[in-house]
């Protein structure tokens, strides 16, 4: 299974945002990951539809929007209009998750569901046939640069089993948080096929291309 790499622009230099998106695209990444935080669902506040639209204009790659916000239904249309290709909501923020997913699809966007590290993957089981992406958090959402939580490996393995059991072999299984050249082989081995990385790409001492290539090499090295 080919592993896709999705750099999180949260770790980029926002003063040169478009340039940083282009740098990642030229380094061969597959998607651009946009972290939206509201100061309620998570402690941090980041960006909204206007910046997402600027990312959309900077790239032809799929724009993967991760909503870490309460009551995300209020903003589905705004992010659809901003050009999101994937719109992922947190299971923990959606009492009517199935309805939220239907609304995202009706807006012409691919729906995703994210699970916090303490949420059992079974919480998403009933809606797996309805989504295009399942996001397993490997840190508690809110900040970049945190340490990878190892229990995410078992969650990914179980998620992949559940997806295979419901005909969801083509559903993207994404992992987000603490991914670098050291943790990438393990998550890919556990079945993740979209790897989000912020600090390991935008904070790499040798630059964005070196950060992307370190992760790519790590997952593609046999036995690595
Ligand atoms: C965490 C965000 C992540 C974060 C990843 O709440 O969802 O996408 O930016 O950053 P790193 O790769 O630095 O852990
Ligand atoms: Zn994210």
């Amino acid at each position: 299974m080919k592993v896709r790499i999705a750099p999180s622009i949260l770790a980029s230099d926002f003063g040169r945002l478009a340039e940083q998106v282009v740098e990642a695209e030229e380094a061969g990444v597959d998607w651009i990951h946009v972290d939206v935080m509201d100061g309620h669902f998570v402690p941090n506040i980041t960006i909204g539809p206007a910046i997402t639209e600027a990312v959309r204009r900077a790239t032809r790659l799929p724009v993967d929007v991760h909503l870490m916000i309460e009551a995300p239904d209020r903003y589905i249309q705004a992010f659809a209009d901003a050009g999101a290709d994937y719109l992922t909501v947190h299971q923990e923020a959606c009492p009517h998750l199935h309805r939220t997913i239907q609304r995202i699809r009706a807006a012409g966007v691919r729906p995703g569901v994210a699970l916090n590290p303490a949420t059992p993957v079974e919480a998403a089981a009933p809606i797996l046939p309805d989504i295009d992406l399942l996001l397993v958090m490997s840190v508690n959402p809110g900040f970049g640069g945190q340490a990878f939580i190892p229990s995410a490996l078992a969650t990914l393995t179980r998620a992949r089993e559940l997806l295979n059991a419901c005909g969801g072999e083509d559903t993207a299984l994404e992992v987000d948080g603490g991914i670098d050249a050291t943790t990438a082989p393990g998550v890919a081995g556990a079945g993740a096929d979209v790897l989000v990385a912020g600090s390991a790409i935008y904070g790499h001492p040798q630059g964005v291309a070196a950060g992307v290539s370190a992760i790519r090499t790590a997952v593609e090295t046999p036995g690595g």
Side-chain angles (χ1 to χ4, degrees):
M1 184 181 302
K2 183 176 183 308
V3 170
R4 287 162 286 187
I5 298 178
S8 163
I9 59 148
L10 186 59
S12 73
D13 175 355
F14 282 178
R16 311 187 287 118
L17 178 58
E19 207 180 302
Q20 292 254 277
V21 169
V22 171
E23 259 185 272
E25 182 165 358
E26 287 174 351
V29 304
D30 301 277
W31 295 1
I32 302 294
H33 186 82
V34 177
D35 285 308
V36 177
M37 307 186 189
D38 65 351
H40 291 275
F41 180 68
V42 291
N44 199 6
I45 299 178
T46 57
I47 62 173
I51 304 295
T52 303
E53 206 267 324
V55 172
R56 170 74 292 157
R57 273 186 277 119
T59 183
R60 292 162 72 167
L61 295 175
V63 174
D64 171 34
V65 177
H66 177 193
L67 296 182
M68 287 160 276
I69 66 176
E70 283 179 4
D73 291 60
R74 296 173 297 167
Y75 295 100
I76 290 171
Q77 195 57 52
F79 283 100
D81 294 345
D85 294 282
Y86 287 84
L87 198 50
T88 296
V89 295
H90 268 263
Q91 184 273 342
E92 304 84 3
C94 296
H96 307 292
L97 184 58
H98 184 269
R99 181 190 290 153
T100 302
I101 290 162
Q102 303 301 330
R103 285 182 173 158
I104 294 171
R105 205 177 282 289
V109 183
R110 293 172 172 273
V113 167
L115 303 173
N116 280 337
T119 303
V121 69
E122 280 72 14
I127 46 79
L128 291 180
D130 302 300
I131 58 178
D132 290 343
L133 178 153
L134 181 64
L135 168 52
V136 171
M137 291 303 301
S138 41
V139 297
N140 289 295
F143 301 94
Q146 304 181 78
F148 179 80
I149 298 173
S151 64
L153 293 171
T155 309
L156 287 167
T157 304
R158 180 78 184 124
R160 178 54 73 193
E161 282 169 10
L162 289 175
L163 284 171
N164 289 346
C166 74
E169 290 87 353
D170 295 333
T171 305
L173 180 54
E174 183 175 57
V175 62
D176 184 4
I179 302 301
D180 57 19
T182 310
T183 52
V187 295
D193 58 3
V194 183
L195 274 47
V196 176
S199 343
I201 291 180
Y202 285 111
H204 194 284
Q206 271 86 52
V208 170
V212 172
S213 132
I215 294 174
R216 184 79 71 198
T217 307
V219 292
E220 286 174 2
T221 304

